[in-house]
Amino acid sequence: MKRHIFEADHEAFRDTMRTFCEKEIAPNHEQWEKDSIVPRELWLKAGELGLLGFMMPEEFGGGGISDFRFNAVVQEELTRIGASGVGFALHTDLVSGYLLSYATEEQKQRWFSKFCTGEMITAIAMTEPGTGSDLQGIQTTAKRDGDHWVINGAKTFISNGILADFVIVVCKTDPEAGALGFTLIAVERGAEGFERGRNLDKIGLKAQDTAELFFDNVRVPVTNTIGEEGNGFLHLLEKLPQERLTISVVAAAACRSMIDMTLDYVKERKAFGKPIGAFQNSRFTLAELETEQQIAQVFVDRSITELNAGTLTVEDAAMGKWWTTELQKKTADQCLQLHGGYGYMTEYPISRAYLDTRIQTIYGGTTEIMKEIVGRSLGV
């Protein structure tokens, strides 16, 4: 089915993003996977083309565009070429939302221009060694000391953790206040006591730097508070639907990419004297995957429209997140199966797609947590 959510401006932007991906990323991504990180220069080049700050106000060098369809284009094009190690989504889709909604005028002057140029790479630190999807279990603390916060604790699995110059840290600031006792605080590169641990070795997303972060009496000005003190958990709840939609966008795009590469393969690979795509099992498997991908795409596109209208609910975002990522997992498994032994070889893109897929049902809230959110909304 033809998609109808994109207009001429989005397609022009897609052309720019696709050219950038093919020129700057595709030839180098394999090396970046070996290095477990992408170069900072890539971010600067993306900034020059307006690929990072299109949602930011024009006065700071941004595009002044509040339209998630542009965000979707970025993620679809990165997914199309298998550029799982390029962590633009965290910057453009997640951190941008917090800054646009909660940054003060003084903070805008300090941060927004460098956000757009790629000079300031961003991250958000929620997950801790003992706390995953249960954000209310966060133990990292921040205590007031005059005009400063003093932060102690640790975070883990932080995407962009090595490269980040700016990290929004979720801290417990009032242990007695429950959900109203959390605050978002920006910690910048070079803060005394702020240390990065290992660049974690993952089974997939190999070029995406993912780090442990440690905070030992890190003093941060109170002016680095993002949003309202004590309302950090509420701010997270407000922005999580957009994060989960980003994951759904990637899931639908990944399914499309894996089906396409498998179609090409089964038309060329022969067994028992004919292309393996000619066997009924192959046709039925691909027919099922194609149908489900298109149905998923319709839901994702509708969710993008709802987000732009300000009406995407927590429950709808959770539905999309768990269903599309579980479909991505199924698609990866069945497409690799149709590749046979070659699908197990790392030189074939399906093998990397298979490994990159596995995290999708975990980060941003596990499938189980997503179902719990939906189930509670049904009154059960």
Side-chain angles (χ1 to χ4, degrees), residues 262-337:
T262 303
L263 283 168
D264 289 341
Y265 181 81
V266 300
K267 291 173 184 177
E268 296 176 359
R269 177 70 173 171
K270 292 185 177 181
F272 303 101
K274 60 181 179 180
I276 60 175
F279 292 98
Q280 186 182 68
N281 177 71
S282 300
R283 292 200 305 271
F284 277 20
T285 297
L286 287 164
E288 181 177 327
L289 295 177
E290 178 71 21
T291 301
E292 291 178 322
Q293 192 283 331
Q294 291 206 34
I295 291 171
Q297 192 68 69
V298 171
F299 191 92
V300 169
D301 288 354
R302 174 63 183 271
S303 297
I304 293 170
T305 301
E306 294 291 337
L307 183 74
N308 278 346
T311 53
L312 181 66
T313 67
V314 171
E315 294 79 17
D316 287 344
M319 289 181 195
K321 197 273 181 184
W322 85 256
W323 199 84
T324 59
T325 57
E326 291 291 341
L327 176 62
Q328 182 183 352
K329 197 165 66 172
K330 170 186 173 180
T331 302
D333 183 67
Q334 295 195 4
C335 285
L336 190 147
Q337 184 74 17

Side-chain angles (χ1 to χ4, degrees), residues 89-262:
L90 190 62
H91 190 80
T92 60
D93 298 7
L94 276 66
V95 175
S96 68
Y98 291 97
L99 293 180
L100 286 168
S101 294
Y102 312 126
T104 64
E105 286 302 317
E106 184 271 338
Q107 290 172 344
K108 292 176 183 178
Q109 295 295 329
R110 275 198 285 155
W111 298 326
F112 277 25
S113 293
K114 290 183 178 180
F115 180 100
C116 295
T117 62
E119 295 173 83
M120 184 181 84
I121 299 172
T122 64
I124 184 164
M126 303 184 204
T127 305
E128 298 184 355
T131 303
S133 296
D134 178 17
L135 295 178
Q136 292 196 53
I138 284 171
Q139 297 299 311
T140 296
T141 61
K143 297 181 179 180
R144 284 290 292 266
D145 181 17
D147 293 333
H148 287 78
W149 292 108
V150 180
I151 303 175
N152 283 282
K155 302 289 184 178
T156 194
F157 308 144
I158 306 306
S159 300
N160 290 354
I162 299 295
L163 286 173
D165 308 291
F166 172 101
V167 183
I168 296 178
V169 183
V170 185
C171 301
K172 183 181 289 186
T173 50
D174 186 350
E176 307 302 321
L180 296 178
F182 296 91
T183 303
L184 307 182
I185 303 170
V187 178
E188 298 174 80
R189 180 181 291 277
E192 187 174 352
F194 173 35
E195 301 290 341
R196 299 159 208 264
R198 296 174 297 151
N199 188 351
L200 300 170
D201 186 14
K202 310 180 296 296
I203 65 170
L205 308 186
K206 299 292 286 186
Q208 168 72 66
D209 60 302
T210 305
E212 303 167 311
L213 304 180
F214 302 101
F215 306 90
D216 182 11
N217 290 320
V218 178
R219 294 180 64 83
V220 176
V222 171
T223 52
N224 275 27
T225 303
I226 306 294
E228 297 180 10
E229 180 179 342
N231 278 343
F233 191 70
L234 297 179
H235 296 331
L236 291 174
L237 291 180
E238 290 171 3
K239 298 304 176 184
L240 281 172
Q242 181 164 311
E243 175 183 356
R244 288 165 181 161
L245 176 55
T246 292
I247 296 170
S248 297
V249 167
V250 170
C255 290
R256 178 74 271 146
S257 176
M258 290 186 287
I259 292 168
D260 288 345
M261 69 176 70
T262 303

